[in-house]
Amino acid sequence: EVQLVESGGGLVQPGGSLRLSCAASGFTVSNNYLSWVRQAPGRGLEWVSVIYSGDSTYYADSVKGRFTISRDNSKNTLYLQMNSLRAEDTAVYYCARGGLGPYDYWGQGTLVTVSS
Amino acid sequence: AIRMTQSPSSLSASTGDRVTITCRASQGVSSYLAWYQQKPGKAPKLLIYAASTLQSGVPSRFSGSTSGTDFTLTISRLQSEDFATYYCQQYYNHPRTFGQGTKVEIK
């Protein structure tokens, strides 16, 4: 059974950093496209980043230069390193399988709150 | 970025009703369009991809169609478990973009 479990969210001050993790099971992260999608409170879905199976990465303009997507194949885990966090980064962050095509599996989400 | 515009933003319907949600792309996305359902506090769920292909396990009352840059999600007979918010998403190019969502509420 495919599962994605996010962790690492929490409260952080503006300008701070946080690393989100997404542990995958039921499939291998190394040969799949994986993405991060976020949802601000009461708002719609916003694509954040994708990592391709060949390690190419893409980012939304709103996070480019501040966020880094990566994966650890030995741990079958996806990461999102978030630096220079802003209030507008406050959201539930979902990891999802997919990125070239649609997102067929999603994690349960982890809440990131950026506030002083 | 390709803008995806959904209409309506919300609608009220009764169980058994036929519901139609439209998504318009600001430029051509071929058939690289997906529909998702999201319930409060839950992750989105993939319903349809390639504009009209039903994801495995999704009830057949859901269907998708396309006409140029206009895409339609239809629920043929609304069930109680279908009350949720629906999003379209294009995966034609980067950045991937979603519609703003359509909330389907109980009349």
Side-chain angles (χ1 to χ4, degrees), chain A residues 49-68:
Chain A
S49 182
V50 61
I51 185 167
Y52 282 8
S53 56
D55 284 343
S56 297
T57 58
Y58 295 87
Y59 299 91
D61 286 346
S62 58
V63 307
K64 199 174 295 182
R66 300 188 297 123
F67 289 13
T68 303

Side-chain angles (χ1 to χ4, degrees), chain A residues 37 39 43-47 50 52 58-61 94 99-109, chain B residues 32 34 36 38 41-46 48-50 55 87 89 91-92 94-100:
Chain A
V37 176
Q39 186 169 37
R43 305 294 295 275
L45 300 168
E46 179 188 18
W47 171 76
V50 61
Y52 282 8
Y58 295 87
Y59 299 91
D61 286 346
Y94 296 101
L100 183 64
Y103 308 119
D104 59 354
Y105 288 94
W106 297 65
Q108 83 287 354
Chain B
Y32 297 107
Y36 301 88
Q38 187 180 33
K42 300 295 186 181
K45 172 187 174 184
L46 177 64
I48 287 170
Y49 61 95
Q55 173 70 348
Y87 294 93
Q89 179 233 341
Y91 49 96
Y92 180 75
H94 284 292
R96 304 303 196 228
T97 46
F98 292 87
Q100 81 279 15

